[in-house]
Amino acid sequence: MNIWLVMLLGGALTFGMRLSFIYLFGRFEIPVMVKRALRFVPPAVLSAIIAPGLFMPDNTLDLSLSNVHLMAGVVAILVAWRTKNTLLTIIAGMITLLALR
Amino acid sequence: MNQAAKSFWAGVRAEFPLLIGVFPFGLIYGALALGAGLAPLEAQMMSSIVFAGSAQFITAQLVGDAAPGLIIVLTIAVVNLRHMLYSAAVAPYLKHLPRRWKTVLAYLLTDEAYAAVGLHYESNGLTSTGHWFFLGAGLALWTTWQVSCALGIFLGAALPSAWPLDFALPLTFIAMVMPLLKDKPMLAAALSAGAVALLTQGLPFKLGLILAALVGIVTGTYLESRR
């Protein structure tokens, strides 16, 4: 498939999902099951992207202390948990990664 | 300054701290997209046509892996599925607006815009100029994203490879996920999705990502409905 077609389809789907409930509000009730499932979309999708970045930096599972991406990720998780601050989390993770390499 | 303009600039200001994280993100995307084989015009246009950082990253990687177009479109859809949640969350505050406002604001509804706008609506409720706040936050993000992507495309290979810029993606997502993990079903959704993502990493074209996301959503929904 042509890259432009991929972008247009992907963009149309993304825009459609962003518009969905804004447009439909008041016209129909969101089913309870859908509402419930939607709540779990961000943690599921984001964790599915995070996990390989930390545990498989070279495409193989690395649980050792020498896996600097994992160590930096653990530091970032702790900072995010304690501070809830995006910028601090990114900085702490980056500094840990650079310091350990 | 009238109320609408005040509200617009309040939105821009509220978005500002988030822009500091977005800028390096755009830089890396631009460089990564060129590295994956996209032309500069394609890479830049994706930033306004799709306008979703994480989906653009993954699209660039999939293009580099020569994944089939249909799989790329499906992956974009699953990765951006969370925008339906944001759409549902802001819908009550936009219900009185004319269709062109709804269309523009929906286009601008990204993770980072929602982070500022959702908070604004939660603390202020429905106000007569809330949509101007949304427009300010959304346009501030849109402009920053376009500029940072363009700079990334321009600098491209000139960005020092010693900077682990691509690690900014999982770090940003960690900052977004941690505040969500307030109960057992949310934690279970995150952990199960992460575990499946690791187990399925060997599948071609990041199909494991779609699988992992679906397992996480089903696990969380199931635990929640049993409570």
mmCIF file of all heavy atoms in Angstrom, chain B residues 165-203:
data_model
loop_
_atom_site.group_PDB
_atom_site.id
_atom_site.type_symbol
_atom_site.label_atom_id
_atom_site.label_comp_id
_atom_site.label_asym_id
_atom_site.label_seq_id
_atom_site.Cartn_x
_atom_site.Cartn_y
_atom_site.Cartn_z
ATOM 1 N N LEU B 165 18.033 9.523 22.423
ATOM 2 C CA LEU B 165 16.779 10.263 22.328
ATOM 3 C C LEU B 165 15.561 9.352 22.212
ATOM 4 O O LEU B 165 14.480 9.694 22.691
ATOM 5 C CB LEU B 165 16.818 11.225 21.137
ATOM 6 C CG LEU B 165 17.703 12.463 21.316
ATOM 7 C CD1 LEU B 165 17.781 13.251 20.023
ATOM 8 C CD2 LEU B 165 17.176 13.344 22.431
ATOM 9 N N ASP B 166 15.738 8.185 21.566
ATOM 10 C CA ASP B 166 14.572 7.313 21.384
ATOM 11 C C ASP B 166 14.036 6.772 22.704
ATOM 12 O O ASP B 166 12.891 6.354 22.793
ATOM 13 C CB ASP B 166 14.877 6.169 20.412
ATOM 14 C CG ASP B 166 16.094 5.372 20.836
ATOM 15 O OD1 ASP B 166 16.885 5.880 21.659
ATOM 16 O OD2 ASP B 166 16.268 4.243 20.340
ATOM 17 N N PHE B 167 14.865 6.830 23.740
ATOM 18 C CA PHE B 167 14.420 6.360 25.056
ATOM 19 C C PHE B 167 13.411 7.340 25.678
ATOM 20 O O PHE B 167 12.746 7.011 26.661
ATOM 21 C CB PHE B 167 15.627 6.153 25.978
ATOM 22 C CG PHE B 167 15.339 5.292 27.179
ATOM 23 C CD1 PHE B 167 14.790 4.021 27.026
ATOM 24 C CD2 PHE B 167 15.620 5.734 28.458
ATOM 25 C CE1 PHE B 167 14.509 3.232 28.127
ATOM 26 C CE2 PHE B 167 15.361 4.940 29.572
ATOM 27 C CZ PHE B 167 14.804 3.690 29.400
ATOM 28 N N ALA B 168 13.280 8.534 25.098
ATOM 29 C CA ALA B 168 12.303 9.506 25.600
ATOM 30 C C ALA B 168 10.878 8.981 25.448
ATOM 31 O O ALA B 168 9.991 9.349 26.218
ATOM 32 C CB ALA B 168 12.439 10.840 24.874
ATOM 33 N N LEU B 169 10.652 8.100 24.459
ATOM 34 C CA LEU B 169 9.301 7.561 24.239
ATOM 35 C C LEU B 169 8.818 6.707 25.410
ATOM 36 O O LEU B 169 7.814 7.044 26.035
ATOM 37 C CB LEU B 169 9.241 6.800 22.913
ATOM 38 C CG LEU B 169 7.879 6.208 22.553
ATOM 39 C CD1 LEU B 169 6.926 7.294 22.076
ATOM 40 C CD2 LEU B 169 8.004 5.153 21.474
ATOM 41 N N PRO B 170 9.544 5.600 25.768
ATOM 42 C CA PRO B 170 9.084 4.847 26.945
ATOM 43 C C PRO B 170 9.061 5.696 28.222
ATOM 44 O O PRO B 170 8.165 5.519 29.055
ATOM 45 C CB PRO B 170 10.074 3.688 27.058
ATOM 46 C CG PRO B 170 11.152 3.932 26.081
ATOM 47 C CD PRO B 170 10.657 4.923 25.088
ATOM 48 N N LEU B 171 9.992 6.638 28.362
ATOM 49 C CA LEU B 171 10.004 7.471 29.581
ATOM 50 C C LEU B 171 8.753 8.348 29.668
ATOM 51 O O LEU B 171 8.141 8.470 30.729
ATOM 52 C CB LEU B 171 11.261 8.343 29.626
ATOM 53 C CG LEU B 171 12.580 7.613 29.889
ATOM 54 C CD1 LEU B 171 13.748 8.585 29.833
ATOM 55 C CD2 LEU B 171 12.554 6.887 31.227
ATOM 56 N N THR B 172 8.366 8.953 28.526
ATOM 57 C CA THR B 172 7.152 9.769 28.514
ATOM 58 C C THR B 172 5.931 8.922 28.859
ATOM 59 O O THR B 172 5.056 9.344 29.619
ATOM 60 C CB THR B 172 6.947 10.398 27.112
ATOM 61 O OG1 THR B 172 8.156 11.032 26.724
ATOM 62 C CG2 THR B 172 5.826 11.414 27.118
ATOM 63 N N PHE B 173 5.891 7.708 28.306
ATOM 64 C CA PHE B 173 4.749 6.839 28.562
ATOM 65 C C PHE B 173 4.711 6.377 30.015
ATOM 66 O O PHE B 173 3.639 6.218 30.593
ATOM 67 C CB PHE B 173 4.777 5.634 27.611
ATOM 68 C CG PHE B 173 4.416 6.005 26.203
ATOM 69 C CD1 PHE B 173 4.503 5.097 25.175
ATOM 70 C CD2 PHE B 173 3.963 7.284 25.905
ATOM 71 C CE1 PHE B 173 4.161 5.447 23.873
ATOM 72 C CE2 PHE B 173 3.623 7.655 24.616
ATOM 73 C CZ PHE B 173 3.722 6.723 23.599
ATOM 74 N N ILE B 174 5.883 6.164 30.619
ATOM 75 C CA ILE B 174 5.923 5.803 32.041
ATOM 76 C C ILE B 174 5.267 6.919 32.854
ATOM 77 O O ILE B 174 4.440 6.679 33.731
ATOM 78 C CB ILE B 174 7.381 5.556 32.504
ATOM 79 C CG1 ILE B 174 7.876 4.206 31.971
ATOM 80 C CG2 ILE B 174 7.485 5.591 34.035
ATOM 81 C CD1 ILE B 174 9.357 3.951 32.188
ATOM 82 N N ALA B 175 5.623 8.174 32.521
ATOM 83 C CA ALA B 175 5.048 9.320 33.240
ATOM 84 C C ALA B 175 3.533 9.393 33.041
ATOM 85 O O ALA B 175 2.805 9.838 33.923
ATOM 86 C CB ALA B 175 5.703 10.614 32.780
ATOM 87 N N MET B 176 3.048 8.940 31.870
ATOM 88 C CA MET B 176 1.610 8.975 31.623
ATOM 89 C C MET B 176 0.872 7.824 32.299
ATOM 90 O O MET B 176 -0.273 7.966 32.734
ATOM 91 C CB MET B 176 1.336 8.939 30.111
ATOM 92 C CG MET B 176 1.533 10.285 29.423
ATOM 93 S SD MET B 176 1.689 10.140 27.631
ATOM 94 C CE MET B 176 0.149 9.358 27.212
ATOM 95 N N VAL B 177 1.532 6.645 32.366
ATOM 96 C CA VAL B 177 0.859 5.452 32.890
ATOM 97 C C VAL B 177 0.778 5.449 34.416
ATOM 98 O O VAL B 177 -0.255 5.113 34.983
ATOM 99 C CB VAL B 177 1.570 4.164 32.407
ATOM 100 C CG1 VAL B 177 1.156 2.968 33.236
ATOM 101 C CG2 VAL B 177 1.241 3.911 30.952
ATOM 102 N N MET B 178 1.867 5.825 35.085
ATOM 103 C CA MET B 178 1.923 5.665 36.551
ATOM 104 C C MET B 178 0.729 6.274 37.291
ATOM 105 O O MET B 178 0.164 5.624 38.166
ATOM 106 C CB MET B 178 3.252 6.208 37.101
ATOM 107 C CG MET B 178 4.462 5.344 36.786
ATOM 108 S SD MET B 178 4.253 3.614 37.258
ATOM 109 C CE MET B 178 4.349 3.773 39.040
ATOM 110 N N PRO B 179 0.312 7.515 36.953
ATOM 111 C CA PRO B 179 -0.833 8.074 37.687
ATOM 112 C C PRO B 179 -2.143 7.318 37.438
ATOM 113 O O PRO B 179 -3.093 7.475 38.200
ATOM 114 C CB PRO B 179 -0.943 9.512 37.145
ATOM 115 C CG PRO B 179 0.351 9.790 36.481
ATOM 116 C CD PRO B 179 0.865 8.472 35.996
ATOM 117 N N LEU B 180 -2.197 6.505 36.371
ATOM 118 C CA LEU B 180 -3.442 5.777 36.069
ATOM 119 C C LEU B 180 -3.614 4.541 36.932
ATOM 120 O O LEU B 180 -4.713 4.035 37.105
ATOM 121 C CB LEU B 180 -3.442 5.322 34.599
ATOM 122 C CG LEU B 180 -3.385 6.382 33.509
ATOM 123 C CD1 LEU B 180 -3.294 5.714 32.144
ATOM 124 C CD2 LEU B 180 -4.622 7.263 33.577
ATOM 125 N N LEU B 181 -2.493 4.020 37.482
ATOM 126 C CA LEU B 181 -2.535 2.720 38.157
ATOM 127 C C LEU B 181 -3.027 2.855 39.587
ATOM 128 O O LEU B 181 -2.287 2.621 40.532
ATOM 129 C CB LEU B 181 -1.150 2.067 38.111
ATOM 130 C CG LEU B 181 -0.512 2.001 36.715
ATOM 131 C CD1 LEU B 181 0.846 1.335 36.767
ATOM 132 C CD2 LEU B 181 -1.422 1.273 35.734
ATOM 133 N N LYS B 182 -4.298 3.242 39.714
ATOM 134 C CA LYS B 182 -4.832 3.516 41.050
ATOM 135 C C LYS B 182 -5.565 2.329 41.643
ATOM 136 O O LYS B 182 -5.823 2.303 42.832
ATOM 137 C CB LYS B 182 -5.779 4.718 40.981
ATOM 138 C CG LYS B 182 -5.017 6.042 40.952
ATOM 139 C CD LYS B 182 -5.986 7.209 40.982
ATOM 140 C CE LYS B 182 -5.709 8.137 39.846
ATOM 141 N NZ LYS B 182 -6.795 8.976 39.438
ATOM 142 N N ASP B 183 -5.965 1.363 40.823
ATOM 143 C CA ASP B 183 -6.664 0.202 41.376
ATOM 144 C C ASP B 183 -6.160 -1.081 40.708
ATOM 145 O O ASP B 183 -5.394 -1.037 39.746
ATOM 146 C CB ASP B 183 -8.187 0.352 41.235
ATOM 147 C CG ASP B 183 -8.592 0.673 39.807
ATOM 148 O OD1 ASP B 183 -8.022 0.069 38.891
ATOM 149 O OD2 ASP B 183 -9.469 1.534 39.622
ATOM 150 N N LYS B 184 -6.618 -2.226 41.255
ATOM 151 C CA LYS B 184 -6.128 -3.527 40.778
ATOM 152 C C LYS B 184 -6.415 -3.782 39.305
ATOM 153 O O LYS B 184 -5.522 -4.222 38.581
ATOM 154 C CB LYS B 184 -6.711 -4.650 41.642
ATOM 155 C CG LYS B 184 -5.856 -4.941 42.855
ATOM 156 C CD LYS B 184 -6.230 -6.293 43.450
ATOM 157 C CE LYS B 184 -5.640 -6.391 44.848
ATOM 158 N NZ LYS B 184 -6.620 -6.858 45.841
ATOM 159 N N PRO B 185 -7.638 -3.520 38.813
ATOM 160 C CA PRO B 185 -7.877 -3.776 37.381
ATOM 161 C C PRO B 185 -6.951 -2.964 36.467
ATOM 162 O O PRO B 185 -6.468 -3.490 35.445
ATOM 163 C CB PRO B 185 -9.335 -3.344 37.187
ATOM 164 C CG PRO B 185 -9.957 -3.504 38.530
ATOM 165 C CD PRO B 185 -8.881 -3.162 39.516
ATOM 166 N N MET B 186 -6.676 -1.703 36.813
ATOM 167 C CA MET B 186 -5.784 -0.888 35.989
ATOM 168 C C MET B 186 -4.369 -1.471 35.992
ATOM 169 O O MET B 186 -3.701 -1.559 34.958
ATOM 170 C CB MET B 186 -5.732 0.560 36.508
ATOM 171 C CG MET B 186 -7.002 1.340 36.294
ATOM 172 S SD MET B 186 -7.420 1.575 34.549
ATOM 173 C CE MET B 186 -6.947 3.271 34.325
ATOM 174 N N LEU B 187 -3.904 -1.871 37.201
ATOM 175 C CA LEU B 187 -2.574 -2.456 37.329
ATOM 176 C C LEU B 187 -2.491 -3.757 36.531
ATOM 177 O O LEU B 187 -1.515 -4.006 35.816
ATOM 178 C CB LEU B 187 -2.290 -2.707 38.821
ATOM 179 C CG LEU B 187 -0.851 -3.021 39.197
ATOM 180 C CD1 LEU B 187 0.067 -1.867 38.838
ATOM 181 C CD2 LEU B 187 -0.753 -3.319 40.699
ATOM 182 N N ALA B 188 -3.555 -4.569 36.627
ATOM 183 C CA ALA B 188 -3.577 -5.851 35.915
ATOM 184 C C ALA B 188 -3.565 -5.621 34.407
ATOM 185 O O ALA B 188 -2.891 -6.347 33.662
ATOM 186 C CB ALA B 188 -4.811 -6.657 36.326
ATOM 187 N N ALA B 189 -4.281 -4.594 33.928
ATOM 188 C CA ALA B 189 -4.310 -4.291 32.500
ATOM 189 C C ALA B 189 -2.906 -3.935 32.019
ATOM 190 O O ALA B 189 -2.435 -4.430 30.983
ATOM 191 C CB ALA B 189 -5.276 -3.144 32.217
ATOM 192 N N ALA B 190 -2.215 -3.095 32.800
ATOM 193 C CA ALA B 190 -0.869 -2.661 32.419
ATOM 194 C C ALA B 190 0.114 -3.836 32.439
ATOM 195 O O ALA B 190 0.882 -4.042 31.484
ATOM 196 C CB ALA B 190 -0.393 -1.555 33.362
ATOM 197 N N LEU B 191 0.092 -4.630 33.533
ATOM 198 C CA LEU B 191 1.059 -5.725 33.671
ATOM 199 C C LEU B 191 0.826 -6.821 32.633
ATOM 200 O O LEU B 191 1.774 -7.340 32.045
ATOM 201 C CB LEU B 191 1.010 -6.306 35.092
ATOM 202 C CG LEU B 191 1.515 -5.378 36.201
ATOM 203 C CD1 LEU B 191 1.387 -6.049 37.565
ATOM 204 C CD2 LEU B 191 2.972 -4.965 35.949
ATOM 205 N N SER B 192 -0.447 -7.171 32.395
ATOM 206 C CA SER B 192 -0.719 -8.239 31.430
ATOM 207 C C SER B 192 -0.329 -7.787 30.022
ATOM 208 O O SER B 192 0.246 -8.557 29.251
ATOM 209 C CB SER B 192 -2.181 -8.680 31.492
ATOM 210 O OG SER B 192 -3.035 -7.578 31.254
ATOM 211 N N ALA B 193 -0.632 -6.538 29.686
ATOM 212 C CA ALA B 193 -0.263 -6.032 28.357
ATOM 213 C C ALA B 193 1.252 -6.020 28.195
ATOM 214 O O ALA B 193 1.786 -6.428 27.154
ATOM 215 C CB ALA B 193 -0.832 -4.632 28.142
ATOM 216 N N GLY B 194 1.959 -5.591 29.244
ATOM 217 C CA GLY B 194 3.421 -5.558 29.192
ATOM 218 C C GLY B 194 4.003 -6.958 29.015
ATOM 219 O O GLY B 194 4.899 -7.174 28.196
ATOM 220 N N ALA B 195 3.460 -7.930 29.789
ATOM 221 C CA ALA B 195 3.971 -9.299 29.724
ATOM 222 C C ALA B 195 3.735 -9.903 28.339
ATOM 223 O O ALA B 195 4.631 -10.519 27.747
ATOM 224 C CB ALA B 195 3.299 -10.153 30.800
ATOM 225 N N VAL B 196 2.515 -9.702 27.792
ATOM 226 C CA VAL B 196 2.220 -10.260 26.466
ATOM 227 C C VAL B 196 3.098 -9.595 25.400
ATOM 228 O O VAL B 196 3.557 -10.245 24.462
ATOM 229 C CB VAL B 196 0.718 -10.106 26.126
ATOM 230 C CG1 VAL B 196 0.438 -10.529 24.691
ATOM 231 C CG2 VAL B 196 -0.121 -10.933 27.086
ATOM 232 N N ALA B 197 3.362 -8.305 25.578
ATOM 233 C CA ALA B 197 4.229 -7.603 24.612
ATOM 234 C C ALA B 197 5.620 -8.245 24.581
ATOM 235 O O ALA B 197 6.229 -8.384 23.517
ATOM 236 C CB ALA B 197 4.331 -6.124 24.963
ATOM 237 N N LEU B 198 6.121 -8.660 25.759
ATOM 238 C CA LEU B 198 7.442 -9.298 25.818
ATOM 239 C C LEU B 198 7.404 -10.685 25.173
ATOM 240 O O LEU B 198 8.300 -11.043 24.412
ATOM 241 C CB LEU B 198 7.915 -9.418 27.267
ATOM 242 C CG LEU B 198 8.187 -8.112 28.016
ATOM 243 C CD1 LEU B 198 8.660 -8.400 29.437
ATOM 244 C CD2 LEU B 198 9.230 -7.271 27.272
ATOM 245 N N LEU B 199 6.331 -11.435 25.474
ATOM 246 C CA LEU B 199 6.223 -12.804 24.960
ATOM 247 C C LEU B 199 6.043 -12.832 23.445
ATOM 248 O O LEU B 199 6.414 -13.795 22.786
ATOM 249 C CB LEU B 199 5.026 -13.516 25.621
ATOM 250 C CG LEU B 199 5.196 -13.835 27.105
ATOM 251 C CD1 LEU B 199 3.894 -14.355 27.701
ATOM 252 C CD2 LEU B 199 6.313 -14.856 27.310
ATOM 253 N N THR B 200 5.448 -11.774 22.890
ATOM 254 C CA THR B 200 5.116 -11.784 21.461
ATOM 255 C C THR B 200 6.047 -10.899 20.636
ATOM 256 O O THR B 200 5.759 -10.605 19.490
ATOM 257 C CB THR B 200 3.676 -11.301 21.247
ATOM 258 O OG1 THR B 200 3.537 -10.010 21.860
ATOM 259 C CG2 THR B 200 2.668 -12.247 21.847
ATOM 260 N N GLN B 201 7.151 -10.472 21.252
ATOM 261 C CA GLN B 201 8.072 -9.569 20.575
ATOM 262 C C GLN B 201 8.596 -10.175 19.270
ATOM 263 O O GLN B 201 8.914 -9.457 18.334
ATOM 264 C CB GLN B 201 9.239 -9.234 21.519
ATOM 265 C CG GLN B 201 10.228 -8.210 20.994
ATOM 266 C CD GLN B 201 9.645 -6.800 20.961
ATOM 267 O OE1 GLN B 201 8.499 -6.581 21.300
ATOM 268 N NE2 GLN B 201 10.440 -5.836 20.546
ATOM 269 N N GLY B 202 8.658 -11.522 19.220
ATOM 270 C CA GLY B 202 9.191 -12.191 18.038
ATOM 271 C C GLY B 202 8.266 -12.152 16.834
ATOM 272 O O GLY B 202 8.685 -12.430 15.716
ATOM 273 N N LEU B 203 6.975 -11.820 17.036
ATOM 274 C CA LEU B 203 6.038 -11.787 15.910
ATOM 275 C C LEU B 203 6.422 -10.666 14.946
ATOM 276 O O LEU B 203 6.933 -9.636 15.355
ATOM 277 C CB LEU B 203 4.608 -11.550 16.412
ATOM 278 C CG LEU B 203 3.967 -12.678 17.222
ATOM 279 C CD1 LEU B 203 2.562 -12.282 17.659
ATOM 280 C CD2 LEU B 203 3.912 -13.959 16.394
#
